[in-house]
Amino acid sequence: MNNIRNFCIIAHIDHGKSTLADRLLQATRTLDEREYRDQVLDNMDLEREKGITIKSHAIQMEYLSDGKKYILNLIDTPGHVDFSYEVSRAIASCEGAILVVDATQGIQAQTISNLYLALEHDLEIIPVLNKIDMDSAMVEEVKDQIIDLLGCKSEEIIPASAKTGEGVPEILSAIIERVPAPKGDENAPLQALIFDSVFNSFRGIIAYFKVKNGTIRSGDRVKFFATDREYEADEIGTLKLNAIPKKEIKAGDVGYIISGIKTAVEVKVGDTITHVDRPCSEAISGFEDVKPMVFAGIYPVSTDEYEDLRASLEKLQLNDASLTFEPESSLALGFGFRCGFLGLLHMEIIQERLYREFDMDVITTVPNVSFKVCTTKGEMITVHNPSGLPASNLVERVEEPYIYAQVITKSEFLGTVMKLCLDKRGILKNQNFLTTDRVELTYDMPLSEIVFDFYDRLKSISKGYASFDYALTDYRLADLVKLDILLNDEPVDALSSLIHRSHSYDFGRKMCEKLKDLIPRQQFEIKIQAAIGAKIIARETVKALRKDVLAKCYGGDISRKRKLLEKQKKGKKRMRQVGNVEVPQEAFLAVLKMGD
């Protein structure tokens, strides 16, 4: 056990975590040249296309140092704020963390938040200054920033280049010297923490775990603490690039278990595995349940696919524990699910994965956050969906979630970033110059304002330099109104939204204009209206397709023409009464891009 080291790599997005992981795997000869490719741990097509890590990836390496063989268990983590739950799970399974900082960009928002997560779990931090081979690297300046942040000595910071492999031997030595060996008792009752799971269509559910105490052997009878279900450990093993079966896994090590579990709900990430005949007394206190930030309805395009969508979401939830869902129905879209996500990128990734991995075409409704509504009877209810809001005469007050937002930007963009935050109803709490040209701003902001396009706009006005991180704080009183969209006087519940009164007029007008372009013309006129309660605040009209009924009338009396036009008018009127307006999927997606 003294020769095991469990560590993860944490950093801001695009600071070179996956590239450094590639170099470590090559240096320890975990893969041969035939298996090697860039971003080797990012095994999802989506990750490779977008150049980001979405899932944490665990892999075991072996390294010889001073004649001793060490086992290094590495977990490569995502950097984007939407996947911070993946990072927290990786951190709960480790004793040390490599903190990678880009020498060309310096300390960014997620660098700080991921570092705090690691410090909360008492992890040993190894600071690495990456990309020192680049012309724009500010080595001394960024070193000073790391010393300010960590309070470490200059010689503890390892200069490296994940691209060229410079500094990798020093990093491996630092892992062995600085990261503590895992603590645990091999002879105690079995206690193993599940930190991830995947679905395999041939083998069922594969759970990844870290053994805290005890030893697990192939063929053992085990049970899961949370569900109290018992299983046979058909196969256990360690995670190299492919799964390697083993006879036993002892305390401090990381591995996988296959026990023929077929249903997704039986495996919970954060659960504890123990033996049936000699169980441990308590579960491992791992990581807390995830709190979704953004909610949206996901509906199958065809109502027959409802059960398939449920099965697909359950399998996705296995692989991504931060996804939550519950059934709901909509008048416009039929049966579907109200899903909770950690952010808009997370929602986009889930939608894309449903299509690629399960061939599910889905319609996504307008994303929104959850609100607390106090009724006139004094009850406090949580509303995830605008259509679940009680009638306005029954609502005493509405409270919306607020976040503590931290923005780090270059000082030349300070004015435009502050204007953006003010437009989003942000209240400036603190302004701190980290260096002469880098400033940290902290704001209190409503979560609903950053859900749509805040991150994209922040990146564009700062030319990609600003970084952003947030944490939920509390709920506060808000002047919110329910904005309904009516098509021919019929409300479309999937397009309704809860919005601040000051933004409602602009938002309603833009929605109507966008829907006018997207809804195809029919044989009858379509009236598009935005309404707050009974008050119409915006209107657009999609003109009817008209057949030229006067084409056959050349000359002659006007009364003949009028008779034909009146007949057409009556037909159009009747058609509008029975006609049905189909809302295309692009209309729901267009709402997400309202700021463009």
Side-chain angles (χ1 to χ4, degrees), residues 18-19 21-42 58-62 74 239-242:
S18 298
T19 316
D22 289 352
R23 294 295 88 79
L24 290 172
L25 293 174
Q26 282 181 313
T28 54
R29 296 194 173 87
T30 304
L31 346 155
D32 55 34
E33 290 305 313
R34 196 165 43 86
E35 292 174 307
Y36 177 73
R37 56 181 183 165
D38 282 346
Q39 281 177 267
V40 70
L41 290 182
D42 292 349
I59 192 163
Q60 190 176 86
M61 304 178 285
E62 290 176 3
L74 155 71
L239 300 152
K240 293 283 178 79
L241 200 56
N242 300 311

PDB file of all heavy atoms in Angstrom, residues 18-19 21-42 58-62 74 239-242:
ATOM      1  N   SER A  18      -5.323  17.236 -20.400  1.00  0.00           N
ATOM      2  CA  SER A  18      -5.347  15.978 -21.161  1.00  0.00           C
ATOM      3  C   SER A  18      -4.013  15.721 -21.845  1.00  0.00           C
ATOM      4  O   SER A  18      -3.570  14.579 -21.958  1.00  0.00           O
ATOM      5  CB  SER A  18      -6.478  16.007 -22.191  1.00  0.00           C
ATOM      6  OG  SER A  18      -7.720  16.116 -21.523  1.00  0.00           O
ATOM      7  N   THR A  19      -3.341  16.794 -22.310  1.00  0.00           N
ATOM      8  CA  THR A  19      -2.032  16.630 -22.965  1.00  0.00           C
ATOM      9  C   THR A  19      -0.996  16.164 -21.939  1.00  0.00           C
ATOM     10  O   THR A  19      -0.166  15.302 -22.238  1.00  0.00           O
ATOM     11  CB  THR A  19      -1.592  17.975 -23.597  1.00  0.00           C
ATOM     12  OG1 THR A  19      -2.702  18.544 -24.269  1.00  0.00           O
ATOM     13  CG2 THR A  19      -0.465  17.780 -24.577  1.00  0.00           C
ATOM     14  N   ALA A  21      -1.648  14.427 -19.272  1.00  0.00           N
ATOM     15  CA  ALA A  21      -1.991  13.015 -18.996  1.00  0.00           C
ATOM     16  C   ALA A  21      -1.387  12.114 -20.076  1.00  0.00           C
ATOM     17  O   ALA A  21      -0.858  11.034 -19.781  1.00  0.00           O
ATOM     18  CB  ALA A  21      -3.505  12.838 -18.930  1.00  0.00           C
ATOM     19  N   ASP A  22      -1.451  12.548 -21.360  1.00  0.00           N
ATOM     20  CA  ASP A  22      -0.841  11.780 -22.460  1.00  0.00           C
ATOM     21  C   ASP A  22       0.645  11.558 -22.211  1.00  0.00           C
ATOM     22  O   ASP A  22       1.174  10.456 -22.372  1.00  0.00           O
ATOM     23  CB  ASP A  22      -0.993  12.538 -23.795  1.00  0.00           C
ATOM     24  CG  ASP A  22      -2.437  12.549 -24.296  1.00  0.00           C
ATOM     25  OD1 ASP A  22      -3.256  11.848 -23.685  1.00  0.00           O
ATOM     26  OD2 ASP A  22      -2.723  13.247 -25.278  1.00  0.00           O
ATOM     27  N   ARG A  23       1.358  12.647 -21.798  1.00  0.00           N
ATOM     28  CA  ARG A  23       2.817  12.554 -21.575  1.00  0.00           C
ATOM     29  C   ARG A  23       3.136  11.620 -20.411  1.00  0.00           C
ATOM     30  O   ARG A  23       4.095  10.866 -20.451  1.00  0.00           O
ATOM     31  CB  ARG A  23       3.410  13.947 -21.280  1.00  0.00           C
ATOM     32  CG  ARG A  23       3.369  14.960 -22.397  1.00  0.00           C
ATOM     33  CD  ARG A  23       4.216  14.581 -23.609  1.00  0.00           C
ATOM     34  NE  ARG A  23       3.466  13.776 -24.560  1.00  0.00           N
ATOM     35  CZ  ARG A  23       2.581  14.275 -25.440  1.00  0.00           C
ATOM     36  NH1 ARG A  23       2.350  15.560 -25.484  1.00  0.00           N
ATOM     37  NH2 ARG A  23       1.960  13.481 -26.282  1.00  0.00           N
ATOM     38  N   LEU A  24       2.303  11.679 -19.350  1.00  0.00           N
ATOM     39  CA  LEU A  24       2.532  10.798 -18.185  1.00  0.00           C
ATOM     40  C   LEU A  24       2.366   9.338 -18.589  1.00  0.00           C
ATOM     41  O   LEU A  24       3.130   8.465 -18.160  1.00  0.00           O
ATOM     42  CB  LEU A  24       1.569  11.145 -17.047  1.00  0.00           C
ATOM     43  CG  LEU A  24       1.795  12.488 -16.330  1.00  0.00           C
ATOM     44  CD1 LEU A  24       0.647  12.773 -15.383  1.00  0.00           C
ATOM     45  CD2 LEU A  24       3.107  12.507 -15.575  1.00  0.00           C
ATOM     46  N   LEU A  25       1.362   9.059 -19.433  1.00  0.00           N
ATOM     47  CA  LEU A  25       1.119   7.687 -19.884  1.00  0.00           C
ATOM     48  C   LEU A  25       2.275   7.193 -20.750  1.00  0.00           C
ATOM     49  O   LEU A  25       2.655   6.022 -20.694  1.00  0.00           O
ATOM     50  CB  LEU A  25      -0.196   7.599 -20.668  1.00  0.00           C
ATOM     51  CG  LEU A  25      -1.473   7.834 -19.859  1.00  0.00           C
ATOM     52  CD1 LEU A  25      -2.687   7.873 -20.770  1.00  0.00           C
ATOM     53  CD2 LEU A  25      -1.664   6.751 -18.816  1.00  0.00           C
ATOM     54  N   GLN A  26       2.832   8.105 -21.560  1.00  0.00           N
ATOM     55  CA  GLN A  26       3.970   7.714 -22.406  1.00  0.00           C
ATOM     56  C   GLN A  26       5.230   7.493 -21.559  1.00  0.00           C
ATOM     57  O   GLN A  26       5.984   6.556 -21.777  1.00  0.00           O
ATOM     58  CB  GLN A  26       4.232   8.795 -23.456  1.00  0.00           C
ATOM     59  CG  GLN A  26       3.241   8.736 -24.622  1.00  0.00           C
ATOM     60  CD  GLN A  26       3.527   9.800 -25.658  1.00  0.00           C
ATOM     61  OE1 GLN A  26       3.730  10.962 -25.327  1.00  0.00           O
ATOM     62  NE2 GLN A  26       3.536   9.416 -26.921  1.00  0.00           N
ATOM     63  N   ALA A  27       5.449   8.396 -20.581  1.00  0.00           N
ATOM     64  CA  ALA A  27       6.648   8.305 -19.741  1.00  0.00           C
ATOM     65  C   ALA A  27       6.662   7.022 -18.910  1.00  0.00           C
ATOM     66  O   ALA A  27       7.709   6.458 -18.637  1.00  0.00           O
ATOM     67  CB  ALA A  27       6.736   9.518 -18.817  1.00  0.00           C
ATOM     68  N   THR A  28       5.449   6.560 -18.509  1.00  0.00           N
ATOM     69  CA  THR A  28       5.391   5.331 -17.697  1.00  0.00           C
ATOM     70  C   THR A  28       5.201   4.088 -18.573  1.00  0.00           C
ATOM     71  O   THR A  28       4.988   2.988 -18.065  1.00  0.00           O
ATOM     72  CB  THR A  28       4.225   5.413 -16.683  1.00  0.00           C
ATOM     73  OG1 THR A  28       3.019   5.702 -17.406  1.00  0.00           O
ATOM     74  CG2 THR A  28       4.454   6.500 -15.655  1.00  0.00           C
ATOM     75  N   ARG A  29       5.223   4.297 -19.899  1.00  0.00           N
ATOM     76  CA  ARG A  29       5.045   3.213 -20.884  1.00  0.00           C
ATOM     77  C   ARG A  29       3.765   2.409 -20.639  1.00  0.00           C
ATOM     78  O   ARG A  29       3.742   1.181 -20.762  1.00  0.00           O
ATOM     79  CB  ARG A  29       6.254   2.272 -20.882  1.00  0.00           C
ATOM     80  CG  ARG A  29       7.532   2.959 -21.321  1.00  0.00           C
ATOM     81  CD  ARG A  29       8.630   1.954 -21.633  1.00  0.00           C
ATOM     82  NE  ARG A  29       9.784   2.629 -22.204  1.00  0.00           N
ATOM     83  CZ  ARG A  29      10.755   3.161 -21.456  1.00  0.00           C
ATOM     84  NH1 ARG A  29      10.674   3.103 -20.137  1.00  0.00           N
ATOM     85  NH2 ARG A  29      11.784   3.752 -22.032  1.00  0.00           N
ATOM     86  N   THR A  30       2.711   3.122 -20.248  1.00  0.00           N
ATOM     87  CA  THR A  30       1.411   2.455 -20.018  1.00  0.00           C
ATOM     88  C   THR A  30       0.794   2.047 -21.357  1.00  0.00           C
ATOM     89  O   THR A  30       0.066   1.072 -21.446  1.00  0.00           O
ATOM     90  CB  THR A  30       0.462   3.389 -19.246  1.00  0.00           C
ATOM     91  OG1 THR A  30       1.118   3.770 -18.044  1.00  0.00           O
ATOM     92  CG2 THR A  30      -0.853   2.717 -18.907  1.00  0.00           C
ATOM     93  N   LEU A  31       1.092   2.817 -22.407  1.00  0.00           N
ATOM     94  CA  LEU A  31       0.593   2.441 -23.736  1.00  0.00           C
ATOM     95  C   LEU A  31       1.768   2.286 -24.679  1.00  0.00           C
ATOM     96  O   LEU A  31       2.757   3.004 -24.551  1.00  0.00           O
ATOM     97  CB  LEU A  31      -0.305   3.512 -24.353  1.00  0.00           C
ATOM     98  CG  LEU A  31      -0.889   4.655 -23.601  1.00  0.00           C
ATOM     99  CD1 LEU A  31      -1.165   5.782 -24.562  1.00  0.00           C
ATOM    100  CD2 LEU A  31      -2.224   4.157 -23.113  1.00  0.00           C
ATOM    101  N   ASP A  32       1.619   1.388 -25.639  1.00  0.00           N
ATOM    102  CA  ASP A  32       2.655   1.344 -26.670  1.00  0.00           C
ATOM    103  C   ASP A  32       2.283   2.330 -27.775  1.00  0.00           C
ATOM    104  O   ASP A  32       1.177   2.865 -27.812  1.00  0.00           O
ATOM    105  CB  ASP A  32       2.852  -0.087 -27.194  1.00  0.00           C
ATOM    106  CG  ASP A  32       1.553  -0.707 -27.705  1.00  0.00           C
ATOM    107  OD1 ASP A  32       0.749   0.059 -28.252  1.00  0.00           O
ATOM    108  OD2 ASP A  32       1.357  -1.927 -27.557  1.00  0.00           O
ATOM    109  N   GLU A  33       3.221   2.550 -28.685  1.00  0.00           N
ATOM    110  CA  GLU A  33       3.027   3.575 -29.733  1.00  0.00           C
ATOM    111  C   GLU A  33       1.797   3.281 -30.592  1.00  0.00           C
ATOM    112  O   GLU A  33       1.166   4.173 -31.124  1.00  0.00           O
ATOM    113  CB  GLU A  33       4.280   3.678 -30.620  1.00  0.00           C
ATOM    114  CG  GLU A  33       5.481   4.296 -29.923  1.00  0.00           C
ATOM    115  CD  GLU A  33       5.162   5.666 -29.324  1.00  0.00           C
ATOM    116  OE1 GLU A  33       4.549   6.498 -30.011  1.00  0.00           O
ATOM    117  OE2 GLU A  33       5.514   5.900 -28.150  1.00  0.00           O
ATOM    118  N   ARG A  34       1.472   1.984 -30.725  1.00  0.00           N
ATOM    119  CA  ARG A  34       0.340   1.606 -31.580  1.00  0.00           C
ATOM    120  C   ARG A  34      -0.981   2.122 -31.009  1.00  0.00           C
ATOM    121  O   ARG A  34      -1.879   2.514 -31.717  1.00  0.00           O
ATOM    122  CB  ARG A  34       0.313   0.074 -31.671  1.00  0.00           C
ATOM    123  CG  ARG A  34      -0.519  -0.514 -32.783  1.00  0.00           C
ATOM    124  CD  ARG A  34      -0.148  -1.971 -32.963  1.00  0.00           C
ATOM    125  NE  ARG A  34       0.002  -2.661 -31.678  1.00  0.00           N
ATOM    126  CZ  ARG A  34      -1.007  -3.214 -31.022  1.00  0.00           C
ATOM    127  NH1 ARG A  34      -2.222  -3.147 -31.481  1.00  0.00           N
ATOM    128  NH2 ARG A  34      -0.788  -3.833 -29.867  1.00  0.00           N
ATOM    129  N   GLU A  35      -1.083   2.093 -29.665  1.00  0.00           N
ATOM    130  CA  GLU A  35      -2.338   2.509 -29.015  1.00  0.00           C
ATOM    131  C   GLU A  35      -2.434   4.026 -28.861  1.00  0.00           C
ATOM    132  O   GLU A  35      -3.498   4.563 -28.597  1.00  0.00           O
ATOM    133  CB  GLU A  35      -2.427   1.901 -27.604  1.00  0.00           C
ATOM    134  CG  GLU A  35      -2.584   0.398 -27.597  1.00  0.00           C
ATOM    135  CD  GLU A  35      -2.529  -0.149 -26.167  1.00  0.00           C
ATOM    136  OE1 GLU A  35      -1.566   0.150 -25.445  1.00  0.00           O
ATOM    137  OE2 GLU A  35      -3.466  -0.869 -25.800  1.00  0.00           O
ATOM    138  N   TYR A  36      -1.288   4.710 -29.008  1.00  0.00           N
ATOM    139  CA  TYR A  36      -1.265   6.141 -28.665  1.00  0.00           C
ATOM    140  C   TYR A  36      -1.982   7.005 -29.704  1.00  0.00           C
ATOM    141  O   TYR A  36      -1.902   6.787 -30.898  1.00  0.00           O
ATOM    142  CB  TYR A  36       0.183   6.632 -28.512  1.00  0.00           C
ATOM    143  CG  TYR A  36       0.214   8.107 -28.228  1.00  0.00           C
ATOM    144  CD1 TYR A  36      -0.166   8.572 -26.975  1.00  0.00           C
ATOM    145  CD2 TYR A  36       0.515   9.023 -29.223  1.00  0.00           C
ATOM    146  CE1 TYR A  36      -0.226   9.929 -26.713  1.00  0.00           C
ATOM    147  CE2 TYR A  36       0.469  10.385 -28.968  1.00  0.00           C
ATOM    148  CZ  TYR A  36       0.090  10.831 -27.713  1.00  0.00           C
ATOM    149  OH  TYR A  36       0.012  12.164 -27.464  1.00  0.00           O
ATOM    150  N   ARG A  37      -2.722   7.996 -29.215  1.00  0.00           N
ATOM    151  CA  ARG A  37      -3.258   9.090 -30.037  1.00  0.00           C
ATOM    152  C   ARG A  37      -3.414  10.289 -29.103  1.00  0.00           C
ATOM    153  O   ARG A  37      -3.454  10.130 -27.884  1.00  0.00           O
ATOM    154  CB  ARG A  37      -4.598   8.719 -30.671  1.00  0.00           C
ATOM    155  CG  ARG A  37      -5.652   8.291 -29.692  1.00  0.00           C
ATOM    156  CD  ARG A  37      -6.943   7.905 -30.387  1.00  0.00           C
ATOM    157  NE  ARG A  37      -7.960   7.561 -29.400  1.00  0.00           N
ATOM    158  CZ  ARG A  37      -9.246   7.465 -29.677  1.00  0.00           C
ATOM    159  NH1 ARG A  37      -9.679   7.683 -30.877  1.00  0.00           N
ATOM    160  NH2 ARG A  37     -10.116   7.163 -28.733  1.00  0.00           N
ATOM    161  N   ASP A  38      -3.521  11.488 -29.668  1.00  0.00           N
ATOM    162  CA  ASP A  38      -3.680  12.681 -28.823  1.00  0.00           C
ATOM    163  C   ASP A  38      -4.968  12.577 -28.017  1.00  0.00           C
ATOM    164  O   ASP A  38      -5.959  12.034 -28.503  1.00  0.00           O
ATOM    165  CB  ASP A  38      -3.716  13.952 -29.692  1.00  0.00           C
ATOM    166  CG  ASP A  38      -2.307  14.340 -30.138  1.00  0.00           C
ATOM    167  OD1 ASP A  38      -1.371  13.791 -29.547  1.00  0.00           O
ATOM    168  OD2 ASP A  38      -2.161  15.151 -31.058  1.00  0.00           O
ATOM    169  N   GLN A  39      -4.941  13.152 -26.812  1.00  0.00           N
ATOM    170  CA  GLN A  39      -6.103  13.115 -25.901  1.00  0.00           C
ATOM    171  C   GLN A  39      -6.578  11.673 -25.732  1.00  0.00           C
ATOM    172  O   GLN A  39      -7.753  11.376 -25.884  1.00  0.00           O
ATOM    173  CB  GLN A  39      -7.284  13.935 -26.463  1.00  0.00           C
ATOM    174  CG  GLN A  39      -7.180  15.430 -26.292  1.00  0.00           C
ATOM    175  CD  GLN A  39      -8.372  16.112 -26.947  1.00  0.00           C
ATOM    176  OE1 GLN A  39      -8.309  16.504 -28.084  1.00  0.00           O
ATOM    177  NE2 GLN A  39      -9.461  16.238 -26.251  1.00  0.00           N
ATOM    178  N   VAL A  40      -5.667  10.793 -25.441  1.00  0.00           N
ATOM    179  CA  VAL A  40      -5.980   9.351 -25.450  1.00  0.00           C
ATOM    180  C   VAL A  40      -7.062   8.989 -24.434  1.00  0.00           C
ATOM    181  O   VAL A  40      -7.852   8.071 -24.652  1.00  0.00           O
ATOM    182  CB  VAL A  40      -4.681   8.521 -25.242  1.00  0.00           C
ATOM    183  CG1 VAL A  40      -4.150   8.663 -23.830  1.00  0.00           C
ATOM    184  CG2 VAL A  40      -4.917   7.057 -25.547  1.00  0.00           C
ATOM    185  N   LEU A  41      -7.151   9.733 -23.324  1.00  0.00           N
ATOM    186  CA  LEU A  41      -8.163   9.396 -22.310  1.00  0.00           C
ATOM    187  C   LEU A  41      -9.546   9.902 -22.690  1.00  0.00           C
ATOM    188  O   LEU A  41     -10.550   9.448 -22.150  1.00  0.00           O
ATOM    189  CB  LEU A  41      -7.755   9.980 -20.945  1.00  0.00           C
ATOM    190  CG  LEU A  41      -6.548   9.324 -20.267  1.00  0.00           C
ATOM    191  CD1 LEU A  41      -6.291   9.957 -18.923  1.00  0.00           C
ATOM    192  CD2 LEU A  41      -6.745   7.831 -20.106  1.00  0.00           C
ATOM    193  N   ASP A  42      -9.610  10.910 -23.590  1.00  0.00           N
ATOM    194  CA  ASP A  42     -10.925  11.421 -24.011  1.00  0.00           C
ATOM    195  C   ASP A  42     -11.499  10.446 -25.038  1.00  0.00           C
ATOM    196  O   ASP A  42     -11.235  10.551 -26.238  1.00  0.00           O
ATOM    197  CB  ASP A  42     -10.798  12.828 -24.610  1.00  0.00           C
ATOM    198  CG  ASP A  42     -10.413  13.852 -23.554  1.00  0.00           C
ATOM    199  OD1 ASP A  42     -10.450  13.494 -22.376  1.00  0.00           O
ATOM    200  OD2 ASP A  42     -10.088  14.992 -23.910  1.00  0.00           O
ATOM    201  N   ALA A  58     -10.311   7.549 -15.386  1.00  0.00           N
ATOM    202  CA  ALA A  58      -9.353   6.919 -14.461  1.00  0.00           C
ATOM    203  C   ALA A  58      -8.472   5.942 -15.233  1.00  0.00           C
ATOM    204  O   ALA A  58      -8.953   5.237 -16.127  1.00  0.00           O
ATOM    205  CB  ALA A  58     -10.115   6.186 -13.363  1.00  0.00           C
ATOM    206  N   ILE A  59      -7.173   5.920 -14.896  1.00  0.00           N
ATOM    207  CA  ILE A  59      -6.261   4.964 -15.542  1.00  0.00           C
ATOM    208  C   ILE A  59      -5.128   4.659 -14.562  1.00  0.00           C
ATOM    209  O   ILE A  59      -4.729   5.520 -13.774  1.00  0.00           O
ATOM    210  CB  ILE A  59      -5.724   5.499 -16.891  1.00  0.00           C
ATOM    211  CG1 ILE A  59      -5.018   4.390 -17.672  1.00  0.00           C
ATOM    212  CG2 ILE A  59      -4.817   6.713 -16.701  1.00  0.00           C
ATOM    213  CD1 ILE A  59      -4.828   4.688 -19.140  1.00  0.00           C
ATOM    214  N   GLN A  60      -4.613   3.419 -14.612  1.00  0.00           N
ATOM    215  CA  GLN A  60      -3.537   3.019 -13.704  1.00  0.00           C
ATOM    216  C   GLN A  60      -2.213   2.936 -14.464  1.00  0.00           C
ATOM    217  O   GLN A  60      -2.161   2.421 -15.574  1.00  0.00           O
ATOM    218  CB  GLN A  60      -3.857   1.650 -13.083  1.00  0.00           C
ATOM    219  CG  GLN A  60      -2.918   1.285 -11.959  1.00  0.00           C
ATOM    220  CD  GLN A  60      -3.329  -0.021 -11.310  1.00  0.00           C
ATOM    221  OE1 GLN A  60      -2.937  -1.089 -11.770  1.00  0.00           O
ATOM    222  NE2 GLN A  60      -4.106   0.033 -10.236  1.00  0.00           N
ATOM    223  N   MET A  61      -1.153   3.491 -13.834  1.00  0.00           N
ATOM    224  CA  MET A  61       0.183   3.448 -14.438  1.00  0.00           C
ATOM    225  C   MET A  61       1.142   2.776 -13.457  1.00  0.00           C
ATOM    226  O   MET A  61       0.908   2.809 -12.249  1.00  0.00           O
ATOM    227  CB  MET A  61       0.682   4.877 -14.712  1.00  0.00           C
ATOM    228  CG  MET A  61      -0.255   5.697 -15.566  1.00  0.00           C
ATOM    229  SD  MET A  61       0.322   7.375 -15.824  1.00  0.00           S
ATOM    230  CE  MET A  61      -0.012   8.137 -14.261  1.00  0.00           C
ATOM    231  N   GLU A  62       2.212   2.195 -13.997  1.00  0.00           N
ATOM    232  CA  GLU A  62       3.258   1.615 -13.153  1.00  0.00           C
ATOM    233  C   GLU A  62       4.555   2.351 -13.441  1.00  0.00           C
ATOM    234  O   GLU A  62       4.872   2.631 -14.599  1.00  0.00           O
ATOM    235  CB  GLU A  62       3.413   0.118 -13.440  1.00  0.00           C
ATOM    236  CG  GLU A  62       2.229  -0.684 -12.949  1.00  0.00           C
ATOM    237  CD  GLU A  62       2.314  -2.158 -13.306  1.00  0.00           C
ATOM    238  OE1 GLU A  62       3.338  -2.558 -13.896  1.00  0.00           O
ATOM    239  OE2 GLU A  62       1.361  -2.896 -13.001  1.00  0.00           O
ATOM    240  N   LEU A  74      -4.289   7.604 -11.856  1.00  0.00           N
ATOM    241  CA  LEU A  74      -4.525   8.978 -12.307  1.00  0.00           C
ATOM    242  C   LEU A  74      -5.982   9.160 -12.694  1.00  0.00           C
ATOM    243  O   LEU A  74      -6.581   8.280 -13.327  1.00  0.00           O
ATOM    244  CB  LEU A  74      -3.625   9.271 -13.523  1.00  0.00           C
ATOM    245  CG  LEU A  74      -4.083  10.363 -14.495  1.00  0.00           C
ATOM    246  CD1 LEU A  74      -3.958  11.745 -13.871  1.00  0.00           C
ATOM    247  CD2 LEU A  74      -3.277  10.329 -15.779  1.00  0.00           C
ATOM    248  N   LEU A 239      -7.977  -0.538 -14.000  1.00  0.00           N
ATOM    249  CA  LEU A 239      -8.267   0.200 -15.224  1.00  0.00           C
ATOM    250  C   LEU A 239      -6.978   0.666 -15.875  1.00  0.00           C
ATOM    251  O   LEU A 239      -6.366   1.628 -15.439  1.00  0.00           O
ATOM    252  CB  LEU A 239      -9.133   1.422 -14.879  1.00  0.00           C
ATOM    253  CG  LEU A 239     -10.474   1.110 -14.227  1.00  0.00           C
ATOM    254  CD1 LEU A 239     -10.922   2.253 -13.351  1.00  0.00           C
ATOM    255  CD2 LEU A 239     -11.510   0.801 -15.280  1.00  0.00           C
ATOM    256  N   LYS A 240      -6.548  -0.074 -16.891  1.00  0.00           N
ATOM    257  CA  LYS A 240      -5.497   0.469 -17.771  1.00  0.00           C
ATOM    258  C   LYS A 240      -6.297   1.096 -18.921  1.00  0.00           C
ATOM    259  O   LYS A 240      -7.444   1.478 -18.730  1.00  0.00           O
ATOM    260  CB  LYS A 240      -4.593  -0.660 -18.261  1.00  0.00           C
ATOM    261  CG  LYS A 240      -3.762  -1.300 -17.142  1.00  0.00           C
ATOM    262  CD  LYS A 240      -2.577  -0.428 -16.751  1.00  0.00           C
ATOM    263  CE  LYS A 240      -1.763  -1.018 -15.625  1.00  0.00           C
ATOM    264  NZ  LYS A 240      -0.854  -2.062 -15.986  1.00  0.00           N
ATOM    265  N   LEU A 241      -5.709   1.134 -20.126  1.00  0.00           N
ATOM    266  CA  LEU A 241      -6.499   1.686 -21.243  1.00  0.00           C
ATOM    267  C   LEU A 241      -7.685   0.758 -21.495  1.00  0.00           C
ATOM    268  O   LEU A 241      -8.776   1.182 -21.838  1.00  0.00           O
ATOM    269  CB  LEU A 241      -5.625   1.833 -22.490  1.00  0.00           C
ATOM    270  CG  LEU A 241      -6.179   2.807 -23.532  1.00  0.00           C
ATOM    271  CD1 LEU A 241      -6.414   4.181 -22.933  1.00  0.00           C
ATOM    272  CD2 LEU A 241      -5.262   2.912 -24.728  1.00  0.00           C
ATOM    273  N   ASN A 242      -7.448  -0.545 -21.287  1.00  0.00           N
ATOM    274  CA  ASN A 242      -8.547  -1.513 -21.286  1.00  0.00           C
ATOM    275  C   ASN A 242      -8.621  -2.110 -19.880  1.00  0.00           C
ATOM    276  O   ASN A 242      -7.657  -2.054 -19.127  1.00  0.00           O
ATOM    277  CB  ASN A 242      -8.277  -2.626 -22.319  1.00  0.00           C
ATOM    278  CG  ASN A 242      -8.144  -2.056 -23.716  1.00  0.00           C
ATOM    279  OD1 ASN A 242      -8.982  -1.278 -24.141  1.00  0.00           O
ATOM    280  ND2 ASN A 242      -7.069  -2.422 -24.414  1.00  0.00           N
TER     281      ASN A 242
END
